[in-house]
Amino acid sequence: MTGRRAGWRFWWLVALAGSTLLPSVATALTTQSLGSGWQFRIAPDDAHVREHPRAVQWLPATVPGSVQTDLMALKLIPDPYWRDDEAKVQWVGLSNWQYRKSFNVDAATLARAHVDLMFDGLDTFADVYLNGHKILAADNMFRRWRVPVKSLLHTGVNTLVVKLYSPIERLQPWLLKQPYALPGEFDSAFGDEPKGKQTANYVRKAAYQYGWDWGPRVVTEGIWQGVRLESWSTLRLADFHIAQPRVAADVAHLQAQLDIEADAAESAHVALQWRAPDGGMQALQHDVELKTGDNHVAIPFAIAHPRRWWPAGYGKPNLYDFHVDVAVGSKVLASADRQTGLRSIELRRAKDRWGRSFEFVVNGVPVFAKGANFIPPDVFPTRVTVARFRQLLESARDANMNMLRVWGGGYYLPDDFYAMADKLGLMVWQDFMFGGAIPPSDQAFRDNVRVEAVQQVQRLRDHPSIVLWCGNNEVETGWESWDDRKAFKKTITPAQRGHIEQGMRELFDRTLRDVVAKFAPDVPYWPSTPGTDYDGPVNVTDNGDYHYWNVWSGDALPVTAYLDVTPRFMSEYGLQSMPAMATIDAFTKPSDRSIDSQVMRAHQKFDGGNGNQRLLKYVERQFGTPKDLASFAYLSQVMQAEGIQLAAEHLRASRPESMGSLYWQLDDAWPGITWSSIDWYGRWKALQWHAQRFYAPFLIATLRDHGVTTVSLVSDSTTPVAARWRMRVMDFSGKVLSNHSTSVTLAPLASTHVAHYTDAQLLDGAEPRKTFVVFELFVDGEVVSRNLVFFSAPKNLAMPVPHVRTQLARANDGYTLTLASDVLAREVWVSFGDLDADVSNNAFDILPGQHVRLTVHGKASLDQLRKALQVQDMAGAMQGHAQ
């Protein structure tokens, strides 16, 4: 029993003393960690041995981990994130590797009836040998593996060997003999796979590690999750789950569900206790008759007037703590703990005047989903710490998000991620791990996936944050509409096409749907994103969810095209930007720092490195040609932030026709030029700061389209709110040309259109190049939302270059920075170079004569911060740009 578990048990024993008679505690399940003392080497007969002789000897390994991270730690390969060194590590994923470990087993362990070897994750094709006997052939990165091994163990030293095989080398010879290769995702840039012959489709492994348009190709191998021995007698509690058949304000009807493996038929006693969010405790007792083998026990119970779990912005994310003991006679033989929130989830699909809706309803309240797509935060999963997940999730919460979509080309995230989402009130749209490639159609593949899905759904189903299980990312829409899929269909027979399509339908409409229906029936299932749940064509604006990429990808339409589409739920859309110069400096040499240097192209994965020219095109549309790389980085972030803001505010203003905005993407897998709003180092880009404002609970949306500005007031409040909105027309020096203010009552959970203005009405004869409009929304006398409207692209305006005055002073909890300007200063960006300093706001506008006060936190001294302080603004960055 671990110290944490022992402390938890002590709490229950003390808290429930006098109200419940618990039997004496005896340890039934004993765990022996096998995480230390591992060694690894390249397989002696591998083709790469001659080129890498140092890898032939047994070397120290870290478990959980990967071959690549161990080789980096030993300085045998470079960091693939540095410059263009990604190419120098490709051989590792094309090689076979071996791990070994010796461990002691005592007589007490072997005296127990069962001893199981547990692998929580093997990456990916692996043969496992115990004392020379092959005990496992693993083929799925996402599965846990339990192997009974008592008969193969002996007292004293035992030896464990894991042989790992390159998934590319394992599958490629077979694939090249097939009549066709299923369409995949991104061809290798390194020549290790023929174009159009991708092996990733055929293996259950994180697809993004084969390279994506935002991340590197590093095909990992290794023991990527924990390893342990579990020994037990009499019975084992295989699973404990709190099912939620019905949760309402007056009562929550629940079930404690236990899966128990028993050695013999006998009576058992179940003691269930729980603690409410307010600290109140309750308990129940239940006797069960166990049969030999597997037992499923369901104990119904109810909680009156439950304190329900709510998404961020709608109430507290209340959590209950549950504890169960299973006893035989006077001894507790198994125990488990679960923390969960009580809530009802509905994916509402109602027919209405716009088509068929797609909206999440939590505890009966329709919730507009505000958030982003979440990708793996590193190409090496074991490098992602709890602190890293916390920083990303808290950043999402702090930006007023209430939903993250865990994208299907990565991996199922660790429990800590979902536990944090539970506590922060962040809803999670969870994809199954299919990133867009067409999957195999054979039954064996589906059977493998089914076991994976059962294990993952059972592991995660007590997290109230998970509000949707989705079968795949873009498999269905890709098959319907992508050019390479259309071309592929012309090369195969009707029978082959039917076989492929039937296989996809079986997998996503039956296998995965059935798993969710059986093991997590309180959570909706959606077969594909974008999708319509097989209700007609997918990726349409009037039914289901929608991915919109005609801005940036496809035709590279201008950002104003976002105003031309109003889907029921926008689950993907995005614009790229460069990271901060501090991040660029971290992966480049000074000689690399130009837009299209070899290294900058290597860190731009869109269109084989040509994405930097696409990004430049979008920047030039708004700002002209940047004068240097630093200006390009800054202006690209401003372009991204203002473009996504336009789309998000259009979607929010279109409520209830549209009920969700998830932009692509929140985070990064490496330091690159991507669609993220937070870079790999955790630095917020301008988009993340803008999201904090355009996802705020109250919003004044001012959408200018074809010379007409539409003003909408948006409220996420569940009750009416008294407010006032104001419109001021000003010149860049601050002279107010007109002023209008109106008191209103904001309707709950609604967007209300309150005004339409033509440019002529707003300008009333003023010079459009020197004029702008300020729209503000006030609640309780405070500005809760502000938007500015301009009459042309920034490069066409006569904006003066402001002199932003700054004053940095010490404060009780850090420092305060006050900024002011006599003329309009747009998209003011505050930074401190390489110093560790965080600001409370950024990428903001300073109105003429306005004083903006920020808080600054960091380890640097006041003098160091003053010397390092840098302030950028739009006009200054554009100064001297090529027209």
Side-chain angles (χ1 to χ4, degrees), residues 505-563:
R505 189 69 181 253
E506 286 288 338
L507 178 58
F508 299 120
D509 193 26
R510 297 180 182 89
T511 300
L512 294 178
R513 189 190 298 273
D514 290 349
V515 167
V516 175
K518 180 176 181 180
F519 294 99
D522 57 315
V523 176
Y525 174 78
W526 190 246
S528 186
T529 177
T532 57
D533 200 5
Y534 298 104
D535 181 26
V538 301
N539 213 30
V540 293
T541 57
D542 63 349
N543 189 358
D545 70 312
Y546 192 67
H547 293 190
Y548 184 64
W549 284 107
N550 288 343
V551 174
W552 180 264
S553 297
D555 299 326
L557 297 177
V559 296
T560 52
Y562 283 132
L563 300 177

Side-chain angles (χ1 to χ4, degrees), residues 206-228:
Y208 79 108
Q209 295 176 330
Y210 290 82
W212 219 263
D213 56 3
W214 38 255
R217 181 180 177 92
V218 183
V219 182
T220 58
E221 298 175 55
I223 304 172
W224 79 289
Q225 302 263 32
V227 188
R228 63 190 179 278

Side-chain angles (χ1 to χ4, degrees), residues 578-646:
M578 296 184 72
M581 283 305 300
T583 295
I584 294 172
D585 292 347
F587 68 79
T588 62
K589 291 181 176 179
S591 59
D592 302 325
R593 293 165 197 163
S594 60
I595 291 175
D596 264 332
S597 72
Q598 180 176 322
V599 169
M600 292 298 287
R601 286 177 60 86
H603 284 253
Q604 165 61 271
K605 296 301 182 180
F606 179 78
D607 191 21
N610 295 321
N612 288 338
Q613 289 300 316
R614 177 68 56 89
L615 182 55
L616 179 61
K617 177 179 180 178
Y618 272 87
V619 169
E620 288 179 332
R621 280 176 178 168
Q622 295 294 313
F623 309 110
T625 303
K627 58 188 176 183
D628 53 31
L629 186 64
S631 296
F632 182 37
Y634 163 79
L635 291 172
S636 74
Q637 290 198 21
V638 172
M639 178 279 300
Q640 179 195 38
E642 294 190 345
I644 298 303
Q645 175 177 336
L646 181 70

Side-chain angles (χ1 to χ4, degrees), residues 252-549:
H253 293 282
L254 309 173
Q255 268 193 358
Q257 297 181 355
L258 294 78
D259 290 329
I260 301 172
E261 184 179 349
D263 281 347
E266 57 189 330
S267 299
H269 181 78
V270 177
L272 177 70
Q273 306 103 18
W274 63 93
R275 180 177 61 179
D278 63 357
M281 294 172 291
Q282 291 181 272
L284 64 81
Q285 311 285 321
H286 190 83
D287 292 322
V288 297
E289 295 297 323
L290 301 178
K291 67 179 188 297
T292 302
D294 295 333
N295 297 262
H296 181 73
V297 177
I299 305 172
F301 66 105
I303 296 177
H305 306 292
R307 294 178 180 266
R308 291 176 290 177
W309 183 92
W310 290 95
Y314 291 81
K316 292 182 178 180
N318 293 306
L319 297 171
Y320 283 75
D321 294 308
F322 291 88
H323 177 83
V324 70
D325 290 315
V326 181
V328 173
S330 62
K331 293 183 177 181
V332 173
L333 296 182
S335 301
D337 306 311
R338 288 291 180 270
Q339 186 176 72
T340 192
L342 308 182
R343 83 286 185 261
S344 66
I345 302 294
E346 175 192 355
L347 179 60
R348 186 165 292 169
R349 301 274 291 126
K351 291 185 177 180
D352 55 27
R353 61 192 175 101
W354 299 292
R356 192 169 182 189
S357 67
F358 188 101
E359 65 178 340
F360 290 92
V361 181
V362 182
N363 298 328
V365 177
V367 175
F368 188 99
K370 304 180 297 186
N373 288 264
F374 190 93
I375 66 169
D378 202 297
V379 78
F380 305 110
T382 55
R383 293 205 309 195
V384 184
T385 63
V386 172
R388 179 84 174 278
F389 280 127
R390 181 179 297 110
Q391 189 261 343
L392 290 170
L393 290 176
E394 289 181 349
S395 293
R397 186 272 318 272
D398 292 345
N400 290 306
M401 297 183 186
N402 58 31
M403 177 178 279
L404 293 174
R405 172 184 167 229
V406 177
W407 167 77
Y411 57 93
Y412 305 95
L413 298 172
D415 295 316
D416 287 331
F417 172 91
Y418 302 96
M420 290 178 204
D422 296 342
K423 292 179 173 64
L424 294 171
L426 289 172
M427 298 181 290
V428 173
W429 166 321
Q430 178 67 52
D431 284 0
F432 285 100
M433 291 301 116
F434 292 90
I438 304 303
S441 300
D442 58 282
Q443 186 65 47
F445 182 86
R446 288 196 297 275
D447 290 344
N448 194 355
V449 171
R450 187 183 188 282
V451 176
E452 162 198 325
V454 169
Q455 290 182 354
Q456 296 296 341
V457 171
Q458 285 187 316
R459 176 175 73 93
L460 298 174
R461 60 184 172 175
D462 282 295
H463 291 287
S465 54
I466 296 180
V467 298
L468 185 73
W469 282 95
C470 181
N472 66 73
N473 171 72
E474 295 184 342
V475 172
E476 190 175 359
T477 189
W479 185 251
E480 279 189 10
S481 60
W482 293 359
D483 289 342
D484 68 324
R485 272 65 166 161
K486 291 179 180 179
F488 169 74
K489 284 184 256 189
K490 294 178 181 178
T491 68
I492 58 177
T493 67
Q496 290 170 330
R497 175 173 175 172
H499 178 68
I500 293 169
E501 291 175 345
Q502 180 63 24
M504 289 190 288
R505 189 69 181 253
E506 286 288 338
L507 178 58
F508 299 120
D509 193 26
R510 297 180 182 89
T511 300
L512 294 178
R513 189 190 298 273
D514 290 349
V515 167
V516 175
K518 180 176 181 180
F519 294 99
D522 57 315
V523 176
Y525 174 78
W526 190 246
S528 186
T529 177
T532 57
D533 200 5
Y534 298 104
D535 181 26
V538 301
N539 213 30
V540 293
T541 57
D542 63 349
N543 189 358
D545 70 312
Y546 192 67
H547 293 190
Y548 184 64
W549 284 107

Side-chain angles (χ1 to χ4, degrees), residues 714-729:
V714 182
S715 172
D716 289 339
S717 173
T718 57
T719 59
V721 174
R724 179 173 64 90
W725 70 275
R726 179 173 70 180
M727 180 270 289
R728 290 180 292 165
V729 181

